[in-house]
Amino acid sequence: MARAVSYDRAALRPRAAHLGVGAFHRAHQQSCYDELARAGGDWGVVGINLTPPDIAASHAAQGRVYALVTEDGQGRACHEIATLLQVHDAAAAAAVDWSDIAFCTLTITEKGYCHHSGSHALDPQKVAADLAAPEAPGTAIGYLAWMLERRRQAGGAPITLASCDNVADNGRLLGSVLRDYAARAFPQLPDWLERNVAFPTSMVDRIVPAMSDASRGRLEAACGRRDALGVVAEPFRQWVIEDRFAGPRPALETAGVQIVADLAPFEHMKHRLLNGLQSAYAELGRLCGHDSSHAAATDPVLERWARAFLAAQAETLDCPEGEDLEAYGRTSLARLQNPTIHHPLNQIASDASFKLPQRIAAPAAERLAQGKSAELQAMVLAGWALQAGDTRPDGGGVVTSDPMGAQLAQMRADAADSEGLMRAVLALPLWPDRLGQDADFAAQATRWLRAYAAPDPALRRARIDDFVRERMNA
Ligand code: NAI
Ligand code: CS2
């Protein structure tokens, strides 16, 4: 039975905003705001979507309430979420009243920051249209800069902009690209930003696959109705945010959010263990013939491989306060084995050129610097070299997309052999220099590229199994 809304929605005020009202925001930050409201808080959220699909009309049509279903092998729960007070699609974004908003979060996908992947630098080409017409922005960076310039001119109050995307040091990335853009578009804005805007880094975690016919069916069974904005997620939820704010903020601690001075250990732990394993399965799982992370995580060969991979990744981590890295790794694998969450590997493989630098390449480079093998990470990069840009749909019709996909497909076509292809991939400006300079790493990645060339997924799987059994004493 659905958990009804227990608070007076009229008492909620539009004090927060969110850019990117996608499935994850509706399942994660909104569930935190909902808990705050149930505890007596008055923070409501103004949602803004700058890219399709438009959802404002659907949100209004169903009374500005939607269902969040959390489920695992032990059961299913339906939560009615009413803290998303408004939704504005791109055409209406310019009219949003930001004057009372003190805290804004973002989930605009890794590519939404208009930066060079693997860096915090703005890519001017990605904002060229906005720089030509800064009063009519189309990108999230252009829109935020334009909003902040109007706030500056109006003598507006300080504001916190908190990225919640899976990119390395997301707060510093947002601050970096926004300051660079502002200097080009609104010369008086950078100084105001320094004094009035905070960019905390966040680590956010809840597995929220894109909705499918099957998950929509489970939502209807749990909540007793169809729901255009409904989402289905695992029960696990974590939000760790850097203690860096400008102006008032919601009492996020009420919802179990951790406010910490040093965010990096938490971010690296999540990016390299949970996210790293997901991206590893996105490559190796598909090579072994699997469509979902659940299928990969319950494959005995890939489960054995995962235990070796998680141990190797954990060796590059400092343990965050209050955490246990080995237990976190076990929990990460168990979460991917959740029988109700069938996360398409093609969805996880999407935008991999923005994900693999922090999830795979950075720990690989650190292992090499420690004089340790990074062959497990090389296996993942070789899988990416072979599959990036392959847009064939999986069994469920899900396709993968990556801004560098076409470039990788061309590199495969142009390469004389596996060694030439791997050399070209490791020369891309995505990775730490050490990866391209280490002959052993390049040789290992090349050998796996050749091993993956076997046409039969069962043969590829057998080669992975042989490696794990022989080399990792698994
Ligand atoms: P989604 O596809 O449901 O929603 C994507 C949202 O991003 C939409 O609101 C869309 O308007 C916006 N968007 C997409 N491209 C954009 C661009 N170039 N500029 C501005 N806005 C853009 O995806 P979902 O599941 O909500 O994930 C979004 C992001 O949330 C992920 O990329 C990741 O960084 C983060 N995240 C997702 C998790 C998940 O399990 N789905 C878990 C943890 C973080
Ligand atoms: C996934 C993440 O698609 C992907 O890149 O690895 O969305 C993952 O599900 C979340 O980060 C979990 O919190």
Side-chain angles (χ1 to χ4, degrees), residues 7-236:
Y7 44 87
D8 176 6
R9 297 191 67 229
L12 301 181
R13 294 171 50 214
R15 306 178 67 190
H18 185 85
L19 250 60
V21 186
F24 177 68
H25 172 67
R26 302 200 301 270
H28 182 274
Q29 289 95 355
Q30 281 299 329
S31 72
C32 294
Y33 283 109
D34 177 68
E35 285 187 33
L36 265 60
R38 293 176 190 275
D42 68 349
W43 287 75
V45 183
V46 175
I48 299 158
N49 270 331
L50 295 176
T51 68
D54 287 353
I55 61 170
S58 299
H59 183 242
Q62 54 187 57
R64 294 180 171 80
V65 177
Y66 68 88
L68 161 63
V69 169
T70 54
E71 62 177 357
D72 60 13
Q74 278 65 52
R76 186 182 293 163
C78 180
H79 313 257
E80 298 291 346
I81 304 291
T83 43
L84 181 61
L85 303 180
Q86 312 164 22
V87 174
H88 302 270
D89 297 319
V96 171
D97 178 3
W98 281 80
S99 50
D100 289 337
I101 291 170
F103 183 75
C104 174
T105 48
L106 295 81
T107 50
I108 56 173
T109 76
E110 293 83 344
K111 59 186 177 299
Y113 294 82
C114 303
H115 67 300
H116 290 289
S117 178
S119 82
H120 283 171
L122 178 73
D123 181 346
Q125 290 184 347
K126 294 177 180 174
V127 291
D130 284 2
L131 290 173
E135 304 291 332
T139 67
I141 303 311
Y143 175 78
L144 285 173
W146 172 73
M147 176 276 290
L148 291 167
E149 172 63 5
R150 292 193 304 165
R151 194 178 183 105
R152 180 193 71 80
Q153 291 174 4
I159 184 172
T160 297
L161 300 182
S163 169
C164 292
D165 277 293
N166 280 330
V167 289
D169 206 345
N170 52 34
R172 269 151 201 77
L173 169 62
L174 179 58
S176 169
V177 295
L178 204 47
R179 277 189 285 271
D180 186 338
Y181 180 95
R184 298 167 189 256
F186 304 112
Q188 297 183 65
L189 186 54
D191 180 53
W192 189 85
L193 289 179
E194 288 307 313
R195 293 181 283 109
N196 292 279
V197 184
F199 301 96
T201 289
S202 273
M203 180 274 259
V204 290
D205 195 356
R206 173 166 265 178
I207 296 175
V208 186
M211 290 297 280
S212 64
D213 292 342
S215 54
R216 285 187 196 93
R218 294 200 307 276
L219 184 144
E220 285 174 38
C223 306
R225 71 173 193 279
R226 297 176 70 85
D227 189 319
L229 274 73
V231 283
V232 176
E234 63 171 339
F236 182 95

Side-chain angles (χ1 to χ4, degrees), residues 159-326:
I159 184 172
T160 297
L161 300 182
S163 169
C164 292
D165 277 293
N166 280 330
V167 289
D169 206 345
N170 52 34
R172 269 151 201 77
L173 169 62
L174 179 58
S176 169
V177 295
L178 204 47
R179 277 189 285 271
D180 186 338
Y181 180 95
R184 298 167 189 256
F186 304 112
Q188 297 183 65
L189 186 54
D191 180 53
W192 189 85
L193 289 179
E194 288 307 313
R195 293 181 283 109
N196 292 279
V197 184
F199 301 96
T201 289
S202 273
M203 180 274 259
V204 290
D205 195 356
R206 173 166 265 178
I207 296 175
V208 186
M211 290 297 280
S212 64
D213 292 342
S215 54
R216 285 187 196 93
R218 294 200 307 276
L219 184 144
E220 285 174 38
C223 306
R225 71 173 193 279
R226 297 176 70 85
D227 189 319
L229 274 73
V231 283
V232 176
E234 63 171 339
F236 182 95
R237 188 192 76 200
Q238 187 174 15
W239 186 358
V240 187
I241 185 168
E242 182 183 13
D243 191 0
R244 179 190 296 266
F245 301 93
R249 68 168 176 84
L252 295 166
E253 301 91 329
T254 308
V257 177
Q258 297 157 265
I259 312 289
V260 301
D262 184 7
L263 194 282
F266 291 93
E267 175 191 279
H268 292 164
M269 174 182 71
K270 192 248 181 174
H271 281 181
R272 297 183 183 188
L273 297 183
L274 187 276
N275 287 150
L277 184 55
Q278 287 178 299
S279 283
Y281 278 160
E283 305 304 336
L284 273 60
R286 292 186 296 164
L287 287 166
C288 292
H290 299 307
D291 275 351
S292 75
S293 58
H294 174 262
T298 52
D299 176 331
V301 169
L302 294 179
E303 181 178 356
R304 249 191 315 277
W305 184 91
R307 298 191 191 286
F309 173 78
L310 290 167
Q313 295 279 91
E315 288 177 355
T316 69
L317 296 171
D318 295 326
C319 188
E321 187 177 345
E323 294 285 352
D324 173 326
L325 291 176
E326 194 174 338

Side-chain angles (χ1 to χ4, degrees), residues 325-401:
L325 291 176
E326 194 174 338
Y328 185 92
R330 287 197 302 272
T331 300
S332 295
L333 180 56
R335 288 170 61 195
L336 300 188
Q337 294 170 332
N338 178 339
T340 66
I341 298 289
H342 293 258
H343 205 166
L345 295 177
N346 269 357
Q347 180 187 355
I348 300 170
S350 290
D351 298 338
S353 58
F354 281 86
K355 300 174 180 178
L356 297 182
Q358 61 270 17
R359 300 182 182 191
I360 302 297
E366 290 172 25
R367 286 187 61 83
L368 294 174
Q370 295 168 3
K372 296 175 181 173
S373 165
E375 185 160 5
L376 291 159
Q377 293 79 10
M379 292 173 76
V380 181
L381 287 191
W384 181 71
L386 189 66
Q387 301 178 105
D390 180 344
T391 55
R392 286 172 297 176
D394 66 13
V398 177
V399 295
T400 187
S401 67

